Amino acid sequence: MDLSEIAQDLYSQPPGDFIAARKESVAAARAAGDLALSQAISELRKPSAAAVVINLLARNSEELLQEVVDLGEHLREAQEQGDGARLRELNGERKALLRQLAAEGAELARDHDVSFSSAVANGVEETIKAALASPEAARAVQAGLLVSALSGAGMGFVDLSDSVALPDFELKPREDRPRERRLTAVPDLPDPKAAREDAARDLVAEASDAADQADTDLKESETAYEANELARAELHQRIEDLKKELQTLQEDVAEADADSRGLQRAVTQATKARDAAHKELARAKERLDRLS
């Protein structure tokens, strides 16, 4: 088996089995005399919870992810053509697909005993947004080899360098990928020195995994925090805008009230003047009648 096949096997394992499965594959490659392969396998990082959910979607919800690929193409076409009506229609489909994938991801996480916290849910959503924005990101998502969530900034380039287990991954048809296959370590005579070296390597690998996991968790938490801060800032700005609008309306109302009082006084004065004019007209008519 080559590194690509081993990676496909490892990233299809339950999250709790990843370290043990990787250790077994490293030992098998070393026993087979392929030190370069064993080193490459040892450097495969344990996926974050969000990446695990995306990888589960890649292996269990291929039709939904194909919808992501197709919708992303349509969105980019509408964007390039400046077709506003089409974009509005596609954005409605985009929201519905994001909701559907979130529900599917939550169910898969529950079935495979994977945490689906708000940070994980946000990571899954941002990854799907990235797949909608970039065909390369969509291929990475479909490959099922993510080690961390992707960033779903606007339509365009998405950096995959730190998020995919194999930077030069190749997306193969799912049916061509090996299932339930793993290198099996060849039994050998015990060697105390080799055992100590293996134990030391295991400690380094576990510490490296812990450090990578901490880095990944921090990155995903920072992404979730930044997205929340942006939304919060927009809400605060909206509040400020509404306050200014309210103040303007209150000033307009006060001005209208003042105008109303002035106009009411004018109406009263005009009414008095009209009554006086009618009285004077009546007296003039009476004088004319007496002279006649």
Side-chain angles (χ1 to χ4, degrees), residues 5 8 58-59 62-63 66 142-143 170-181:
E5 292 175 320
Q8 286 292 345
R59 290 172 170 81
E62 296 179 48
E63 291 184 2
Q66 187 57 48
Q142 285 184 300
E170 180 182 354
L171 181 60
K172 301 177 182 178
R174 186 65 59 186
E175 58 270 19
D176 292 340
R177 294 178 183 170
R179 293 285 185 173
E180 302 300 327
R181 293 174 60 200

Side-chain angles (χ1 to χ4, degrees), residues 249-264:
L249 289 173
Q250 288 174 332
E251 292 172 356
D252 290 344
V253 168
E255 185 177 346
D257 287 344
D259 291 344
S260 179
R261 289 191 294 270
L263 291 171
Q264 181 62 48

Side-chain angles (χ1 to χ4, degrees), residues 37-276:
L37 179 59
S38 69
Q39 179 63 30
I41 296 171
S42 70
E43 292 174 356
L44 293 174
R45 290 186 288 156
K46 182 179 179 181
S48 69
V52 169
V53 175
I54 293 295
N55 293 341
L56 285 170
L57 286 168
R59 290 172 170 81
N60 296 275
S61 304
E62 296 179 48
E63 291 184 2
L64 273 180
L65 290 188
Q66 187 57 48
E67 288 184 34
V68 171
V69 174
D70 296 339
L71 181 57
E73 291 178 359
H74 296 323
L75 282 166
R76 287 189 293 276
E77 288 175 2
Q79 183 83 5
E80 291 170 1
Q81 296 168 3
D83 190 341
R86 180 62 172 154
L87 275 174
R88 286 191 293 274
E89 177 186 348
L90 292 172
N91 278 327
E93 295 180 19
R94 177 177 177 270
K95 292 178 181 178
L97 187 55
L98 285 171
R99 287 195 297 270
Q100 189 174 359
L101 281 161
E104 183 75 9
E107 183 175 350
L108 285 170
R110 190 165 50 250
D111 292 344
H112 292 80
D113 197 24
V114 180
S115 167
F116 200 75
S117 63
S118 58
V120 172
N122 182 76
V124 171
E125 180 175 335
E126 289 300 305
T127 299
I128 298 302
K129 287 179 179 178
L132 287 165
S134 160
E136 292 79 13
R139 289 180 61 245
V141 167
Q142 285 184 300
L145 295 173
L146 293 186
V147 296
S148 65
L150 302 179
S151 174
M155 307 293 275
F157 175 76
V158 176
D159 185 8
L160 304 175
S161 58
D162 293 328
S163 299
V164 184
L166 301 179
D168 55 348
F169 71 93
E170 180 182 354
L171 181 60
K172 301 177 182 178
R174 186 65 59 186
E175 58 270 19
D176 292 340
R177 294 178 183 170
R179 293 285 185 173
E180 302 300 327
R181 293 174 60 200
R182 194 184 311 140
L183 287 170
T184 303
V186 178
D188 202 352
L189 292 176
D191 182 340
K193 181 180 178 181
R196 288 194 297 272
E197 290 177 351
D198 287 344
R201 288 192 189 95
D202 290 343
L203 287 175
V204 170
E206 290 174 5
S208 178
D209 282 332
D212 287 341
Q213 188 68 51
D215 289 340
T216 298
D217 291 345
L218 174 60
K219 179 181 176 182
E220 293 181 353
S221 295
E222 286 176 339
T223 299
Y225 173 75
E226 289 169 3
N228 185 72
E229 284 299 287
L230 179 60
R232 189 169 70 90
E234 289 175 352
L235 289 171
H236 279 289
Q237 184 59 52
R238 179 62 177 153
I239 289 173
E240 292 302 315
D241 292 343
L242 289 172
K243 284 181 178 178
K244 291 177 181 178
E245 185 178 350
L246 177 60
Q247 183 178 356
T248 300
L249 289 173
Q250 288 174 332
E251 292 172 356
D252 290 344
V253 168
E255 185 177 346
D257 287 344
D259 291 344
S260 179
R261 289 191 294 270
L263 291 171
Q264 181 62 48
R265 286 193 296 270
V267 168
T268 300
Q269 292 173 357
T271 301
K272 291 180 179 178
R274 183 204 61 185
D275 292 344

